[in-house]
């Protein structure tokens, strides 16, 4: 997707301007162009909301800072982490990247710390659980950009048609509910299990946690091919995939975005999802229900939270200009604007409190209250980027005919071991 240079638009004036960070007037400085690579948060193909957000924000920022130009490249989640990694390897790192991981870049000494970039009020305003996983060796390099937790979404109309009174709490109930949906409504995907490369690492994590496992032990070491994890994925394959309950598209070929689009067309009965789907469903008239993500035994279990990160690279020496942009970005007005546009969770204390008290966002309260007790992927491990990529590439193979969860998890565990060894050298 091409970079965009934006002029001030009427939409930008609706985005309330934040106060720029302290320093000399921009007019006294030489012109600087900041290159920003950002992830695309569009849930379906119907919207260009991510590009419009950055267009409006950048236009407003450039109006306040006429000597600073910002060029943004909005990239699909399928490719954005890999793209930035390749740029860094080529010696062409962007000034700012908004992606899924930061730790490997921090370990290589490529990033400015948050303290070098942000004013004290902005730095102190991040939610503590997110700050904790944004640090490496006690220094915060990853600045949380947005967060979300997961719930089970279900189509209320299909549930009523199938005579289903309540959402499932256990995996066995999930299977039985999916069978009723298929047999009584003919829905194409009774339960969607998107293990395509867009976000396979989070969908996989849901099932691993629900089966009593996970990616890491309490000590922080990887437990990817544990017996609990193997058993969980075997259950999914035997009970959902092989019985046709996940639908006509193999899980490894189904991305989150396509699963959500099918949900909005009434072709999915149940899917694990994050808050953005609520907003889009409301716009399309789909009546959506929410319930805790089912687990093997139905006992309340850990649910993944996801935080995406923004970071500034040292390569071009634009610390001052990047700091101005990031202070602007993390103003209450702009943090709230992105969260509201995408129905996601804000990363700052002030905006979180504001949205919790606002009845317009009552549908987010369950997600906001769940965030502190949720489990995040091991973002602080320098190996996580490589492990996440391996999950995206390999986990779908476990669900095809002749595929094996054991082999797939062993392959990912091997990649994790190599990545850990490389990061320790």
């Amino acid at each position: 997707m091409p970079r965009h240079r934006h002029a001030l638009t009427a939409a930008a004036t609706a985005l309330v301007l934040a106060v720029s960070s302290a320093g000399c007037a921009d007019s006294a400085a030489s012109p600087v162009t900041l290159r920003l690579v950002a992830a695309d948060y569009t849930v379906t193909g119907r919207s260009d909301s991510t590009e419009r957000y950055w267009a409006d924000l950048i236009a407003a920022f450039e109006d306040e800072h006429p000597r600073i130009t910002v060029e943004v490249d909005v990239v699909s989640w399928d490719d954005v982490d890999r793209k930035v990694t390749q740029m860094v390897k080529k010696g062409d790192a962007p000034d700012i990247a908004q992606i899924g991981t930061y730790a490997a870049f921090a370990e290589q000494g490529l990033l400015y710390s948050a303290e070098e970039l942000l004013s004290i009020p902005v730095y102190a305003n991040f939610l503590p659980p997110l700050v904790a996983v944004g640090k490496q060796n006690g220094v915060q390099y990853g600045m949380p950009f947005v967060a979300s937790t997961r719930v089970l979404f279900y189509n209320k109309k299909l549930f009523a048609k199938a005579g289903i009174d309540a959402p499932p709490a256990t995996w066995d109930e999930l299977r039985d509910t999916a069978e009723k949906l298929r047999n009584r409504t003919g829905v194409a995907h009774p339960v969607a299990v998107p293990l395509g490369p867009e976000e396979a690492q989070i969908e996989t994590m849901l099932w691993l946690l629900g089966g009593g496992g996970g990616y890491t032990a309490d000590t922080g070491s990887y437990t990817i091919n544990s017996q609990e994890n193997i058993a969980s994925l075997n259950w999914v394959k035997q009970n959902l995939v092989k019985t046709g309950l996940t639908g006509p598209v193999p899980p490894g070929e189904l991305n989150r975005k396509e699963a959500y689009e099918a949900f909005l067309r009434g072709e999915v009965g149940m899917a694990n999802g994050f808050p953005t789907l609520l907003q889009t469903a409301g716009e399309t008239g789909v009546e959506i229900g929410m319930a805790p993500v089912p687990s093997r035994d139905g006992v309340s279990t850990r649910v993944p939270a996801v935080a995406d990160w923004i970071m500034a690279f040292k390569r071009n020496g634009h610390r001052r200009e990047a700091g101005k942009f990031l202070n602007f970005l993390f103003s209450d007005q702009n943090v709230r604007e992105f969260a509201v546009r995408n129905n996601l969770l804000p990363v700052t204390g002030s905006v979180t409190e504001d949205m919790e008290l606002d009845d317009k966002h009552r549908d987010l309260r369950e997600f906001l209250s769940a965030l502190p007790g949720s489990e995040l992927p091991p973002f602080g491990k320098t190996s996580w980027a490589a492990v996440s990529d391996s999950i995206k590439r390999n986990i779908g193979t476990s669900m095809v005919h002749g595929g094996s969860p054991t082999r797939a998890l062993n392959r990912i565990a091997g990649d994790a071991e190599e990545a850990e060894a490389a990061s320790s050298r």
Side-chain angles (χ1 to χ4, degrees), residues 152 166-174 177 292-299:
L152 178 73
T170 69
W171 286 355
D172 286 345
E173 290 174 359
L174 177 73
T177 299
V293 174
S295 61
R296 182 184 292 277
D297 56 11
V299 177

Side-chain angles (χ1 to χ4, degrees), residues 114-414:
E115 288 182 285
E116 293 177 289
L117 296 162
L118 302 178
S119 68
I120 292 174
V122 171
Y123 178 76
N125 198 22
F126 292 124
L127 293 171
L130 303 180
V131 172
V133 292
K135 289 183 176 180
Q136 193 174 93
N137 300 320
V139 179
Q140 185 179 355
Y141 296 99
M143 292 163 280
F145 177 71
V146 73
S148 66
T149 53
R150 296 294 188 268
V151 301
L152 178 73
F153 290 115
Y154 60 94
N155 185 311
K156 285 187 174 182
K157 182 178 179 180
L158 290 175
F159 265 50
K161 186 177 180 180
I164 302 168
D165 297 325
T170 69
W171 286 355
D172 286 345
E173 290 174 359
L174 177 73
R175 178 196 59 218
D176 295 344
T177 299
E179 288 177 346
K180 291 176 182 177
L181 286 167
R182 178 182 61 188
N183 297 337
R184 299 176 184 178
T185 73
V187 64
H189 302 265
V191 55
V193 182
L195 294 176
E198 182 183 1
E199 205 189 38
Q201 79 281 13
I202 301 303
E203 180 71 20
T204 301
M205 188 177 178
L206 280 161
W207 293 102
L208 302 188
L209 291 176
Y215 288 136
T216 58
D218 292 339
T219 59
S221 58
Y222 284 114
T223 56
I224 291 169
N225 57 345
S226 69
Q227 290 304 307
E228 292 85 356
N229 291 346
I230 291 171
S232 294
L233 293 189
N234 275 325
W235 189 94
V236 174
K237 183 173 184 178
Q238 295 299 321
N239 290 271
L240 301 181
V241 179
K242 290 184 71 173
T243 56
L245 295 175
T246 57
V249 181
E253 297 177 17
L254 182 65
N255 275 325
R256 175 189 63 180
K257 184 181 291 187
E258 285 72 35
Y260 286 1
E261 288 176 341
F263 189 99
L264 298 175
R265 294 193 300 268
E267 298 169 7
V268 172
M270 298 176 286
N272 296 317
F274 62 104
T276 301
L277 186 58
L278 280 176
Q279 184 180 57
T280 313
E283 294 169 356
T284 57
V286 175
E287 191 173 1
I288 192 168
M290 291 189 299
V293 174
S295 61
R296 182 184 292 277
D297 56 11
V299 177
S300 179
T301 187
R302 298 166 295 165
V303 173
V306 178
D308 301 325
W309 306 95
I310 195 162
M311 62 215 71
F313 286 86
K314 295 178 179 179
R315 180 181 179 274
N316 297 316
H318 294 154
R319 181 186 65 81
R320 176 177 173 273
E321 293 79 10
K324 284 182 175 290
F325 181 76
L326 291 167
N327 277 287
F328 185 91
L329 173 69
F330 284 118
S331 70
D332 283 357
Q333 295 90 340
N334 292 333
V335 170
R336 181 186 175 97
E337 180 70 17
F338 190 86
V340 169
R341 286 195 188 199
N342 294 279
N343 222 41
L344 288 168
L345 307 185
V347 295
T348 62
S350 55
V351 179
T352 297
E353 182 178 359
D354 177 53
M355 291 180 70
E356 283 179 328
L357 297 174
D358 190 338
D359 279 344
K360 289 187 297 186
H361 306 296
R362 57 184 176 272
D363 59 343
L364 288 179
R365 287 172 182 161
E366 182 175 345
F367 297 96
L368 290 164
S369 62
L371 184 59
S374 299
E375 180 164 329
L376 284 89
F379 291 116
K381 292 175 75 68
T382 58
S383 57
W384 173 243
V387 174
S388 177
D389 183 65
S390 179
I391 295 167
K392 292 178 180 182
R393 288 185 289 105
N394 291 305
I395 203 67
T397 67
S398 69
M399 297 294 154
V400 300
H401 179 70
S404 164
T406 300
R407 286 200 302 271
L409 290 173
N410 282 341
R411 187 178 302 118
I412 297 164

